Amino acid sequence: MRLDKFVCDCTGLTRSQAGKLIRQGEIQLNGLLCKQPAQQIKESDVVLLDDEPLRLTGPRYILLHKPAGYVCSTDDPDHNTVFVLLDEPNIDKLHTVGRLDLDTTGLLLITDDGQWSHKISSPKHECAKTYRAWLADPVEDSAIAQFAEGVMLRGEKTPTKPAQLEIINPTECLLTIHEGRYHQVKRMFAAIGNKVVQLHRERVGPLTLDTSLAEGEYRQLTPEEVSLFN
Ligand code: URA
């Protein structure tokens, strides 16, 4: 990458402002003054402005209210990806923390910090996720015990981990799971002979979806929120 481009990306200056700064001798590259805007730099180079190191945007932590109709993968020939909803630089560096189905709405975390997302999505950490599910048929009270014990999902060899079901009304419930198998919530209800007609994620670990965020809106997490998963 050119030095002037790097300075722009780090500071938000225009290319001509960055060029001027560099020609004025305000930038050091690896301890030496560098007055060449076109100088090529590599990742390991240290660039100082006013003796302070310049860095590209630090790790980013985004909470998105995912609308239906968007996929969580980075490219899809048939659907919009959730990334088109973000007005952010270097979108290609971001990934979703786990996935929500095309038709599922709700809380989706997006980051460029792989270690952080691993803590949330790895099965070892058993991070709780709460979904509001609307069902085709009335749910029996016995489902509470079935989900607490674990149910066998079609095609799998081990039962689901204990999950907590709260019945709001016969066709609407909150389900908290501590793992993230493929289409898990829909398959759990299918395993007890029901069908999810609408699904919305309200909570991931200690984070609840802000009621002020409309579908498609997002915000950055606060440092305190980020550290809740550490
Ligand atoms: N479980 C599902 O079935 N779908 C989702 O999108 C998330 C969890």
Side-chain angles (χ1 to χ4, degrees):
M1 180 194 279
R2 281 172 56 123
L3 179 60
D4 55 355
K5 166 88 170 60
F6 178 77
V7 173
C8 291
D9 287 354
C10 295
T11 59
L13 292 172
T14 63
R15 187 67 79 96
S16 70
Q17 288 169 328
K20 196 168 164 204
L21 205 73
I22 296 165
R23 283 190 296 273
Q24 281 171 347
E26 298 193 36
I27 294 286
Q28 285 180 44
L29 176 60
N30 299 327
L32 298 172
L33 212 60
C34 178
K35 294 189 171 187
Q36 311 302 327
Q39 171 73 43
Q40 286 293 324
I41 60 162
K42 50 188 187 313
E43 224 172 290
S44 55
D45 287 338
V46 177
V47 180
L48 301 185
L49 167 61
D50 293 335
D51 295 327
E52 291 293 330
L54 288 182
R55 288 195 189 90
L56 286 172
T57 334
R60 289 174 286 172
Y61 305 94
I62 290 167
L63 186 159
L64 169 73
H65 184 166
K66 180 192 174 292
Y70 291 79
V71 289
C72 289
S73 53
T74 42
D75 64 333
D76 184 296
D78 302 320
H79 303 100
N80 272 324
T81 79
V82 290
F83 298 101
V84 305
L85 299 165
L86 306 180
D87 183 15
E88 295 292 319
N90 302 324
I91 288 280
D92 54 313
K93 300 247 169 5
L94 295 168
H95 62 270
T96 63
V97 181
R99 289 185 177 199
L100 291 177
D101 296 338
L102 177 70
D103 56 354
T104 301
T105 58
L107 196 167
L108 181 68
L109 297 172
I110 298 177
T111 185
D112 53 6
D113 182 344
Q115 286 190 342
W116 185 78
S117 58
H118 180 72
K119 278 183 208 147
I120 301 169
S121 49
S122 102
K124 199 176 90 193
H125 291 93
E126 300 193 356
C127 179
K129 290 158 285 261
T130 301
Y131 294 85
R132 188 174 292 268
W134 289 268
L135 305 166
D137 299 307
V139 66
E140 307 277 335
D141 284 348
S142 57
I144 297 173
Q146 285 177 288
F147 285 167
E149 273 171 32
V151 289
M152 284 305 291
L153 302 183
R154 226 175 131 185
E156 300 222 2
K157 292 195 173 69
T158 52
T160 51
K161 293 212 172 96
Q164 293 73 49
L165 181 69
E166 185 187 339
I167 300 176
I168 308 291
N169 69 52
T171 56
E172 180 180 344
C173 12
L174 289 174
L175 177 62
T176 300
I177 59 174
H178 303 265
E179 50 188 341
R181 303 191 200 190
Y182 184 61
H183 295 325
Q184 179 159 347
V185 174
K186 292 175 186 166
R187 289 165 74 211
M188 284 176 73
F189 281 102
I192 59 163
N194 211 323
K195 184 172 163 43
V196 172
V197 290
Q198 201 185 328
L199 190 60
H200 178 80
R201 184 155 71 185
E202 295 198 343
R203 200 175 167 86
V204 173
L207 290 181
T208 305
L209 183 63
D210 312 43
T211 48
S212 60
L213 279 184
E215 284 191 8
E217 289 184 343
Y218 70 95
R219 67 171 178 87
Q220 310 291 331
L221 293 187
T222 65
E224 291 72 29
E225 288 173 323
V226 171
S227 64
L228 289 173
F229 294 95
N230 287 330

